[in-house]
């Protein structure tokens, strides 16, 4: 493993983590793409040393083929995921002219109910037993 | 076999009533009486007081060692008779007590289901079978307490009872589990033979006691029982005095011989029993509602039974069995009697129930007899059994437990006499005028269904019969006592004793006389009307716990379920990074070593990749972001190529190109720049998470590389690739041959994603 691999992984993960915590679905998708690349590099770096392509008949130190097979699958599946995400973003945009992920309304309601209960000293016992 | 038939017949009537006979509740009740009577005859036919045992077993979960085992031994005969005979009596009573509407149909159905469960519980031969029926009785009890589902207090009482007994049921289950795992059996006889000892036996014993104490309302779980009096009188009379609350006592009776020598057992049982007995007696002396007086007296009497079965002395077990019978008979009579009075004059206030005396002399006389039995006064059955309890306790060794038990029971008995006498005064009081209005209302309703004579007979019949039995059994105490020897022996082979109407002058009788004298004085002087008593402390503690739990749950939900995707993702990232850090800290692997400086070309490509990646984050236009992402992908492809992975590089190039196309297609209709609305949380925090993740992941990778403990399976693939799969490119062979199913799964994922995409696009386009 070289210092450069170290640095690339650090930057890809950092940028990916930064972007998936946004609200715009487009930027989340971009973040997922960057993270995916980072993960692929991690798997390759973790599993093998640099060497010749794992093709029988080649001379020299062959690299480990197994991580490559795994990452190959991961690349394709990552593409499927990105495509689906972007379709969602596109659909959201055509319907609402926005691709932001809003807060879940139901979750918000539970939170405000708990606040009300704390303020008023409401008795949940009675409230919840009444059908 | 017949035992199971009896149990299922009772369930069947219950189910039939709930489903098919909703409109004919009286018919259902009659059917129920017949089934219960048949069960009683079936049990009695095995011989009251006989020593032979019959059992039957159904294989249920043989793999886990769980079967349904029922057994009719002496003790089971006594309990099963109580359950079925009292059940039939209460059912007859209920015919006159309720109006025959949908609620009554529900009552009959639940009642029969309950009777079936209780019947099964007392017949259970092992703890697992007992647990199954035990939980069923908890559920039916919940539904019966809440029978009047329009009343908030009834629903609350039902919830309280369910949660308390349900928690106890879970403890019981845990205890059963421990015993099953440790000894491979839950059968009472086999456990007795195994003689449990050690830590596991201790844990199991404590759990079983928790189950028994919650069910039988022992301190500190006594609070739910008086609350359960929100149920209609027949329910209270049957479930909460005569049968269900005895379930815990039955458990104690069956397991005391097994665990008597396990350290905590005797102490805890005796202390809980004594405290319950005194506390219940004290409260009974102060309550104004006659039904609550009876409820607390039940709590108190259950305390006495707990002590008797807990001390595990050969006389005490016999006294316990005898007192179960005596208590069930007089208590059912008293509850039903209070119900009659309530039904007739519309009040249960102890300062007013005297008004019923003149209208109902027979019922009043019956109640007086039952009260005298409860006080333990000669010549009623209660005298003989209470006497026997004192004999047993006086016979105990004078060690600490024995002294506590004796002193507690003497104090408790004084209180028992006192509250009995107080209630006696209330019933016999003559200086109260009846409140006529409610009487009229009740009679007019009833006139629609019955002639009032039939109602009278059905209502007061069971009360009178119960009192008569208390008296008759007291007068023939020696005979009744001889029937109870075999039942006691089935619990504890050493059990021995007899009942007597006149035991002769001895320590117990003298103690008894003193107890009655002191109790009578207290009972005679205790005021009938008391300032309103506050809710029981146990009840308040329970409600506090309940409310706090609910509030805490809401608050936790409010905190954890904020509804914000960025927060969810952020927390997920933090937890993942935290896990990696924990791994690094705990295992403290070598991080250095194996790090090279790389070639200049690698440095160049890596720098390009990093710059482009930062570009993805910094560029506001969506379009630019997508292009930068593509650039990152291409740079990574070059890195792959340089690392000896040409297949990866090719795939990466193709897929990145496709990705750019997809992005461009999707972004075509959107505005250029993404929104600036990202201020959900401090940007610093997001940067912090990003930097943290960016540092931890490569560090962990270093550690992982340094910690390899097995060689890669690569050599095997190299060796087999050409021979078995005929391919030289090992990566390709792995994909299409060695791990072909992975690839198939991958294709399925692609297909599913494609279907999703097509559907989303077509719907939105419409």
């Amino acid at each position: 493993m070289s210092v450069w691999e170290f640095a690339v992984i650090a930057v890809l993960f950092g940028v990916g983590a930064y972007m998936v915590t946004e609200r715009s679905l487009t930027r989340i998708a971009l973040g997922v793409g960057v993270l995916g690349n980072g993960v692929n590099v991690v798997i390759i770096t973790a599993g093998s040393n640099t060497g010749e392509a794992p093709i029988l008949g080649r001379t020299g130190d062959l690299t480990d083929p197994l991580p490559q097979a795994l990452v190959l699958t991961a690349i394709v599946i990552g593409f499927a995921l990105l495509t689906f995400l972007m379709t969602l973003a596109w659909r959201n945009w055509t319907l609402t002219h926005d691709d932001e992920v809003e807060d879940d309304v139901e979750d918000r309601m539970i939170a405000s109910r708990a606040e009300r209960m704390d303020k008023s000293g409401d008795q949940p016992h009675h409230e919840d037993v009444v059908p | 076999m017949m035992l199971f038939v009896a149990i299922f017949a009772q369930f069947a009537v219950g189910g039939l009533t709930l489903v098919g006979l909703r409109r004919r509740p009286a018919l259902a009740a009659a059917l129920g009486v017949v089934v219960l009577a048949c069960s009683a005859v079936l049990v009695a036919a095995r011989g009251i007081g006989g020593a032979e045992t019959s059992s039957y077993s159904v294989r249920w979960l043989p793999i886990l060692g769980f079967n349904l085992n029922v057994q009719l031994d002496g003790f089971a005969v006594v309990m099963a008779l109580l359950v079925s005979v009292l059940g039939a009596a209460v059912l007859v009573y209920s015919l006159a007590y309720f109006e025959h509407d949908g609620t009554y149909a529900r009552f009959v159905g639940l009642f029969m289901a309950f009777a079936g469960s209780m019947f099964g519980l007392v017949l259970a031969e092992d703890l697992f079978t007992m647990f199954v029926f035990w939980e069923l009785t908890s559920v039916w009890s919940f539904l019966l307490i809440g029978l009047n589902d329009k009343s908030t207090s009834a629903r609350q009482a039902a919830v309280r009872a369910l949660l308390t007994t349900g928690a106890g049921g879970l403890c019981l289950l845990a205890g059963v589990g421990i015993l099953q795992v440790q000894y491979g059996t839950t059968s009472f006889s086999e456990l007795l033979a195994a003689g449990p000892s050690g830590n596991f036996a201790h844990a199991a014993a404590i759990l079983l006691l928790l189950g028994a104490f919650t069910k039988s309302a022992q301190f500190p779980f006594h609070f739910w029982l008086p609350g359960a009096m929100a149920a209609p009188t027949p329910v209270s009379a049957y479930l909460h005095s005569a049968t269900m609350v005895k379930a815990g006592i039955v458990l104690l009776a069956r397991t005391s011989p097994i665990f008597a020598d396990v350290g905590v057992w005797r102490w805890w049982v005796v202390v809980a029993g004594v405290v319950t007995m005194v506390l219940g007696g004290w409260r009974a002396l102060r309550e104004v509602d006659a039904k609550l007086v009876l409820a607390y007296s039940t709590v108190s009497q259950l305390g006495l039974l707990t002590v008797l079965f807990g001390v595990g002395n050969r006389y005490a077990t016999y006294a316990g069995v005898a007192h179960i019978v005596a208590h069930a008979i007089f208590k059912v009579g008293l509850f039903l009697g209070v119900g009659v009075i309530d039904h007739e004059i519309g009040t249960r206030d102890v300062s007013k129930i005297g008004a019923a005396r003149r209208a109902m002399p027979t019922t009043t006389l019956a109640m007086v007899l039952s009260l005298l039995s409860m006080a333990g006064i000669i010549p009623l059955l209660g005298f003989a059994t209470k006497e026997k309890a004192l004999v047993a306790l006086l016979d105990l060794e004078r060690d600490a437990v024995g002294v506590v038990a004796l002193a507690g029971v003497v104090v408790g008995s004084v209180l028992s006499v006192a509250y009995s006498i107080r209630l006696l005064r209330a019933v016999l009081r003559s200086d109260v005028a009846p409140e006529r209005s409610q009487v009229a209302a009740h009679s007019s309703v009833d006139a629609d269904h019955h002639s009032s004579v039939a109602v009278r007979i059905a209502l007061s019949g069971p009360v009178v019969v119960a009192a008569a039995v208390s008296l008759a059994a007291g007068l023939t105490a020696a005979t009744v006592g001889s029937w109870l020897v075999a039942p006691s022996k089935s619990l504890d082979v050493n059990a021995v004793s007899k009942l007597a109407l006149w035991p002769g002058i001895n320590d117990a009788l003298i103690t008894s006389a003193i107890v009655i004298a002191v109790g009578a004085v207290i009972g005679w002087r205790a005021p009938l009307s008391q300032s309103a008593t506050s809710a029981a402390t146990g009840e308040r503690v329970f409600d506090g716990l309940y409310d706090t739990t609910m509030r805490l749950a809401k608050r936790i939900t409010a905190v954890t379920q904020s509804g914000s995707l960025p927060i969810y993702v952020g927390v997920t990232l933090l937890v993942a990074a935290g896990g990696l850090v924990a791994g690094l800290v705990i295992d403290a692997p070598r991080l250095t070593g194996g790090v090279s400086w790389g070639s200049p070309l690698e440095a160049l490509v890596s720098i390009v990749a990093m710059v482009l990646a930062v570009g993805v984050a910094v560029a506001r236009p969506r379009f630019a972001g997508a292009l930068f992402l593509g650039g990152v992908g291409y740079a990574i492809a070059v890195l792959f190529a340089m690392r000896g992975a040409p297949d990866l590089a090719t795939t990466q190039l193709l897929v990145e190109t496709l990705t750019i196309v997809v992005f461009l297609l999707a972004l075509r209709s959107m505005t250029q720049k993404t929104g600036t609305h990202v201020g959900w949380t401090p940007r610093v925090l997001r940067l912090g998470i990003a930097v943290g993740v960016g540092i931890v992941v490569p560090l962990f990778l270093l550690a992982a590389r340094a910690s390899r403990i097995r060689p890669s399976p690569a050599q095997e693939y190299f060796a087999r690739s050409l021979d078995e799969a005929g391919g030289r490119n090992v990566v390709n062979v792995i994909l299409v041959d060695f791990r072909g199913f992975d690839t198939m799964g991958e294709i399925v994922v692609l297909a599913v994603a494609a279907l999703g995409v097509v559907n989303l696009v077509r719907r939105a386009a419409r």
Side-chain angles (χ1 to χ4, degrees):
Chain A
M1 182 175 176
S2 72
V3 287
W4 297 108
E5 281 164 338
F6 189 101
V8 167
I9 290 168
V11 169
L12 290 185
F13 268 86
V15 168
Y18 181 75
M19 293 189 71
V20 290
T21 48
E22 293 206 20
R23 274 189 187 281
S24 159
L25 207 45
T26 310
R27 287 181 65 78
I28 291 175
L30 291 172
V32 170
V34 174
L35 260 185
N37 274 315
V39 171
N40 291 343
V41 178
V42 164
I43 294 175
I44 286 293
T45 316
S48 66
N49 287 311
T50 314
E52 284 294 319
I55 294 170
L56 295 179
R58 296 227 171 165
T59 51
D61 219 2
L62 299 188
T63 56
D64 193 330
L66 189 58
Q68 292 191 23
L70 297 180
V71 168
L72 215 148
T73 308
I75 291 173
V76 179
I77 288 181
F79 166 71
L81 178 65
L82 270 187
T83 309
F84 191 76
L85 263 180
M86 280 318 291
T87 317
L88 276 181
W90 174 82
R91 179 184 151 84
N92 215 18
W93 185 276
T94 30
L95 293 179
T96 66
H97 267 267
D98 196 1
D99 72 337
E100 303 245 319
V101 183
E102 299 294 337
D103 279 357
D104 190 326
V105 186
E106 294 286 326
D107 286 347
R108 281 280 167 217
M109 269 165 59
I110 291 175
S112 61
R113 219 173 128 196
E115 255 168 48
R116 265 206 324 276
M117 213 152 76
D118 282 346
K119 272 183 199 146
S120 64
D122 196 2
Q123 296 288 305
H125 194 84
H126 304 294
E127 180 192 19
D128 288 355
V129 171
V130 172
Chain B
M1 185 63 205
M2 286 306 285
L3 297 175
F4 266 107
V5 172
I7 296 171
F8 285 118
Q10 297 175 28
F11 278 119
V13 172
L16 194 65
T17 315
L18 290 175
V19 178
L21 288 175
R22 290 203 74 96
R23 289 167 196 289
R24 308 287 302 280
L27 179 66
L31 202 60
V33 171
V34 170
V35 167
L36 285 171
C38 289
S39 307
V41 170
L42 174 73
V43 170
R46 301 285 164 129
I48 300 172
E52 76 263 47
T53 297
S54 58
S55 57
Y56 187 72
S57 166
V58 172
R59 282 157 64 84
W60 188 6
L61 294 171
I63 295 176
L64 295 177
F66 287 143
N67 299 313
L68 285 181
N69 298 320
V70 293
Q71 166 180 307
L72 196 64
D73 60 4
F75 185 61
V77 168
V78 171
M79 294 308 298
L81 273 177
L82 282 181
V83 169
S84 47
V85 171
L86 295 180
V90 171
L91 212 48
V92 168
Y93 176 91
S94 75
L95 269 167
Y97 184 87
F98 283 101
E99 291 167 41
H100 292 189
D101 54 8
T103 308
Y104 183 55
R106 200 144 46 89
F107 166 81
V108 174
L110 294 172
F111 187 89
M112 287 309 295
F114 172 82
S117 312
M118 198 63 210
F119 202 76
L121 191 150
V122 298
L123 293 177
E125 201 280 322
D126 65 49
L127 277 169
F128 175 71
T129 309
M130 186 181 258
F131 169 77
V132 171
F133 288 115
W134 179 286
E135 290 293 77
L136 283 174
T137 60
S138 288
V139 173
W140 305 131
S141 159
F142 164 73
L143 292 170
L144 281 167
I145 297 172
L147 193 68
N148 178 9
D149 51 12
K150 293 187 180 64
S151 147
T152 315
S153 63
R155 286 199 308 269
Q156 277 178 23
V159 168
R160 232 176 259 139
L162 180 70
L163 289 180
T164 312
T165 54
L170 289 179
C171 291
L172 176 60
L173 177 63
V176 172
I178 290 177
L179 290 174
Q180 172 72 31
V181 169
Q182 199 68 14
Y183 299 100
T185 178
T186 62
S187 150
F188 295 119
S189 53
E190 286 171 33
L191 280 175
L192 185 60
S197 62
N199 289 339
F200 281 107
H202 263 93
I206 290 171
L207 289 165
L208 294 189
L209 282 183
L210 280 171
F213 287 177
T214 49
K215 196 78 165 183
S216 283
Q218 295 298 294
F219 179 83
F221 308 111
H222 59 285
F223 56 86
W224 71 264
L225 185 55
M229 295 301 149
T233 294
V235 175
S236 309
Y238 189 53
L239 272 68
H240 304 121
S241 68
T243 58
M244 188 184 84
V245 287
K246 298 275 170 63
I249 303 294
V250 171
L251 177 65
L252 273 182
R254 293 274 186 202
T255 48
S256 257
I258 302 172
F259 291 105
D261 297 331
V262 172
V264 288
W265 185 272
R266 281 182 84 209
W267 259 112
W268 201 14
V269 170
V270 166
V271 170
V274 161
V275 171
T276 310
M277 189 178 180
V278 173
L279 200 72
W282 177 247
R283 294 282 312 212
L285 204 51
R286 294 164 53 91
E287 289 297 335
V288 184
D289 183 343
K291 207 171 163 187
L292 278 179
V293 173
L294 292 178
Y296 277 109
S297 83
T298 304
V299 170
S300 169
Q301 301 277 346
L302 289 170
L304 173 61
L305 290 173
T306 302
V307 173
L308 288 177
F309 284 114
V311 293
N313 147 312
R314 60 206 175 121
Y315 298 133
T317 305
Y318 179 83
V321 174
H323 198 62
I324 284 185
V325 176
H327 173 254
I329 294 171
F330 69 66
K331 194 49 71 65
V332 97
L334 287 173
F335 261 108
L336 295 181
V338 167
V340 174
I341 293 176
D342 188 15
H343 197 265
E344 292 298 318
I345 66 170
T347 180
R348 300 194 304 250
D349 189 324
V350 287
S351 63
K352 293 180 186 150
I353 55 175
R357 197 185 76 168
R358 230 164 261 132
M360 302 178 290
T362 326
T363 309
T364 309
L365 178 65
M367 285 192 70
V368 168
L369 284 177
S370 291
L371 281 170
L372 290 176
S373 184
M374 179 155 82
I377 288 172
I378 199 164
L380 292 137
L381 184 58
F383 165 76
T385 58
K386 190 66 90 49
E387 189 69 13
K388 200 42 63 181
L390 284 175
V391 169
L393 293 169
L394 284 167
D395 185 59
L396 283 182
E397 278 179 64
R398 291 284 184 278
D399 57 355
V401 185
V403 171
V404 168
L406 179 61
V409 167
V410 166
V411 174
S413 298
V414 168
L415 289 169
S416 295
V417 175
Y419 61 67
S420 303
I421 298 294
R422 175 169 171 259
L423 210 50
L424 192 71
R425 255 169 72 214
V427 171
L428 292 177
R429 200 172 168 190
S430 54
D431 53 342
V432 261
E435 293 167 14
R436 271 285 143 200
S437 59
Q438 272 150 321
V439 184
H442 272 283
S443 341
S444 69
V445 168
D446 288 331
D448 297 342
H449 308 284
H450 322 274
S451 68
S452 84
V453 175
V455 172
R456 280 283 172 88
I457 290 175
L459 280 178
S460 39
V463 184
V464 173
V465 170
V469 171
S470 278
L471 181 61
L475 290 174
T476 58
T479 316
V480 174
S482 68
W483 292 341
L484 295 173
V485 174
S488 316
K489 279 194 185 299
S490 70
L491 290 174
D492 181 355
V493 285
N494 300 319
V496 58
S497 199
K498 57 187 193 307
L499 288 184
L501 177 60
W502 177 252
I505 307 286
N506 58 19
D507 291 355
L509 189 70
I510 295 167
T511 316
S512 217
I514 298 171
V515 163
I516 291 174
V518 176
V521 171
I522 296 176
W524 209 257
R525 306 199 54 154
L528 286 183
S529 52
Q530 189 81 38
S531 53
T533 43
S534 55
T537 320
E539 212 161 82
R540 276 208 303 274
V541 170
F542 177 90
D543 283 353
L545 272 176
Y546 185 93
D547 289 352
T548 312
T549 310
M550 294 308 255
R551 198 166 295 172
L552 202 66
K554 285 232 168 66
R555 211 175 290 171
I556 288 174
T557 312
V559 170
T560 56
Q561 302 295 308
S562 61
S564 158
L565 180 65
I567 291 180
Y568 294 159
V569 175
V571 169
T572 309
L573 287 172
L574 273 180
V575 170
L580 297 184
V581 169
L584 287 173
V585 171
I586 292 168
D587 274 358
R590 222 157 31 90
L591 288 182
T592 51
V595 178
S596 65
W597 286 104
S599 64
L601 182 60
E602 189 186 353
L604 180 69
V605 181
S606 297
I607 289 170
V608 170
M610 287 187 275
V611 170
L612 289 172
V614 173
V616 179
V618 175
R620 292 320 297 181
R622 299 162 196 271
F623 192 67
L627 286 185
F628 280 133
L629 178 63
V632 172
Y634 289 141
I636 301 296
V638 176
L639 282 179
F640 284 155
M642 289 161 48
R643 258 189 143 273
D647 303 281
L648 279 192
T650 326
T651 315
Q652 174 89 354
L653 276 176
L654 293 173
V655 165
E656 279 313 324
T657 312
L658 269 177
T659 308
I660 295 176
V661 172
V662 167
F663 264 89
L664 294 186
L665 276 173
L667 294 177
R668 219 170 24 155
S669 56
M670 299 190 195
T671 47
Q672 262 296 325
K673 294 198 175 175
T674 48
T676 49
H677 175 72
V678 284
W680 56 275
T681 187
R683 185 177 293 247
V684 184
L685 189 60
R686 286 174 57 212
L687 270 174
I689 294 176
V691 170
V693 171
I695 291 173
V696 170
V697 171
L699 276 181
F700 190 81
L701 178 59
L702 270 180
R705 279 175 61 93
S707 318
R708 181 153 209 160
I709 54 171
R710 268 182 235 287
S712 159
Q715 291 312 318
E716 195 196 333
Y717 286 128
F718 288 140
R720 289 166 55 199
S721 180
L722 193 57
D723 295 343
E724 295 184 16
R728 289 180 184 278
N729 184 336
V730 184
V731 175
N732 286 359
V733 169
I734 290 175
L735 281 173
V736 299
D737 195 313
F738 292 142
R739 304 194 61 86
F741 276 117
D742 284 6
T743 310
M744 195 173 83
E746 168 196 345
I747 293 169
V748 171
V749 170
L750 274 182
V752 170
L755 280 175
V757 167
V758 168
N759 267 314
L760 284 173
V761 170
R762 279 169 61 182
R763 296 237 166 173
R766 230 184 272 154

